[in-house]
Amino acid sequence: MKRASEIGKKIFFGHVGICIILLCVIPVLFIGYSLFRGFDIKIEQMPAETEEDLIVVGFSQLGSESGWRTAHTASIQQALTKDAGYFLIFNNARQMQDNQIKAIRSFISQRVEYIVFAPVIEDGWDTVLQEAKSAGIPVIVTDRMVNVQDESLYTAWIGTDAKEEGKKAGRWLEDYLEQEGRQSEKINIVVLKGTVGSTAEIGRTKGFGEIAAQHGNWHILESVSAEFTANKAKEVMRSILQRYPEMDVLISQNDDMTMGAIEAMQEAGIRFGEGGDVTVISFDATRDALELVKEGRINVNVECNPVQGVYVDEIIQRLEKGEPVEKYYVVEEKVFTRENAAVFLEGRKY
Ligand code: GZL
Ligand code: ZN
């Protein structure tokens, strides 16, 4: 009997001990998780007294995942300055749509005069943009597109033609293979995609895919997301290089992923770029990547132009004067190869 009660006591105290530990640990985990997930997003607040003649703009940026994104943010901040007559409230959503929706709702409750935002993905904006419309706040979408039922939910969009960028990459590869006399050779292609569901990923994948579909000898071995970041691309590329030693072409949908992929190829002793075994096609044409184009380590770079702040300023100024604005503004973009990269590197700010 004694033994049973001994065991009973042991089990009883054991259970109590576990419960106490759990009661302490669970709340800590919950708070930590909530802080990480987004409770901790602080939306900048507009001070009570802004000089009344400043135009108050809430800007929800999707994240800070890439060099391109940094340049895009800078272009908006440099255009919407106090000297230019603006009070800019900025929020970085760290690539989480929930944070962008929270930020936009905060802008609405602060009664900003305009909302500018770069949507992390295309879907899921109808409700919050309807709230902005009901509050009478014009919304200007930049960089990526929103997929909404009612296009009157945004006043204007400024961005780039992602599908055309994808096609430019495909057309360059056609010409390149032709010059190399490899137009009927079996070409093994790997695609590193950006954030799935983002305009850049959708457009570049579709655009390149349409060209690839015209070539029976082009084989897309794998098309996988590395979320526009260098770290993720390095990790993904390591595994790709194990599985596809026969890879001939890398299509990397932004320069940050290209940098990560290049590190993985260097580690694996793979020769890439001009005269290498892997032809490298990148997007964005940011400064560091253009340096590699100039050196022949990236074969071609399809530009995506982040300088969009000036358009936002122009649109707001027109709206302030009651003048009509275009619905869509598509910014200029080039294709860079070794032949022309150096020329553009001098003046390049990003
Ligand atoms: C493109 C933009 C993409 C860039 C990436 O319009 O949305 O997001 O290509 C960035 O570098 O992360
Ligand atoms: Zn673009």
Side-chain angles (χ1 to χ4, degrees), residues 68 143 160-162 165 204 303-305 333:
W68 189 95
D143 173 26
T160 63
D161 186 343
E165 291 164 0
R204 291 170 190 166
E303 182 181 32
C304 181
N305 183 349
E333 303 186 313

Side-chain angles (χ1 to χ4, degrees), residues 88-105:
L88 184 64
I89 306 171
F90 175 76
N91 177 264
N92 170 352
R94 289 202 287 280
Q95 302 225 70
M96 283 183 255
Q97 180 172 38
D98 286 356
N99 288 347
Q100 286 201 277
I101 290 172
K102 279 183 197 143
I104 292 171
R105 285 196 168 125

